[in-house]
Amino acid sequence: MKNPITAIWRSKSSRGLKIIAYSLLLLFVTALPFMGYVTFGPSDSNPMALSLIFAGGAMFAHVGFFVGLLLLIWDHYKKGDGGI
């Protein structure tokens, strides 16, 4: 089985796409414990720590997505192959 982190790191895509992929991976990793607890845990409890981990991961993932998008735009205009 291929490791997804090294597959992203060694790919030939641009650095903006790599940062966006890592951000989505971070979001998935932080959401997975919360989703598992909600699905299989007791129905009358509130997983406060898991929801805080998910919220923090979501904030970092959104910042990473924004940075990756800015890098994609920067690389596009730096090449000089077009405008709007």
Side-chain angles (χ1 to χ4, degrees):
M1 187 171 158
K2 204 173 196 182
N3 186 356
I5 296 173
T6 56
I8 295 169
W9 185 259
R10 294 178 182 164
S11 69
K12 295 186 180 196
S13 51
S14 66
R15 60 186 178 163
L17 284 177
K18 288 180 183 180
I19 291 175
I20 290 173
Y22 281 127
S23 299
L24 290 174
L25 189 65
L26 173 69
L27 182 63
F28 177 71
V29 166
T30 58
L32 193 62
F34 181 74
M35 290 187 300
Y37 187 86
V38 168
T39 304
F40 301 113
S43 62
D44 61 344
S45 65
N46 185 9
M48 189 64 183
L50 292 177
S51 61
L52 289 176
I53 290 171
F54 175 49
M59 285 191 295
F60 280 118
H62 279 84
V63 169
F65 181 80
F66 183 69
V67 168
L69 195 61
L70 287 176
L71 284 173
L72 281 175
I73 293 169
W74 177 263
D75 289 343
H76 177 73
Y77 284 116
K78 192 174 178 182
K79 283 183 184 177
D81 57 343
I84 295 178

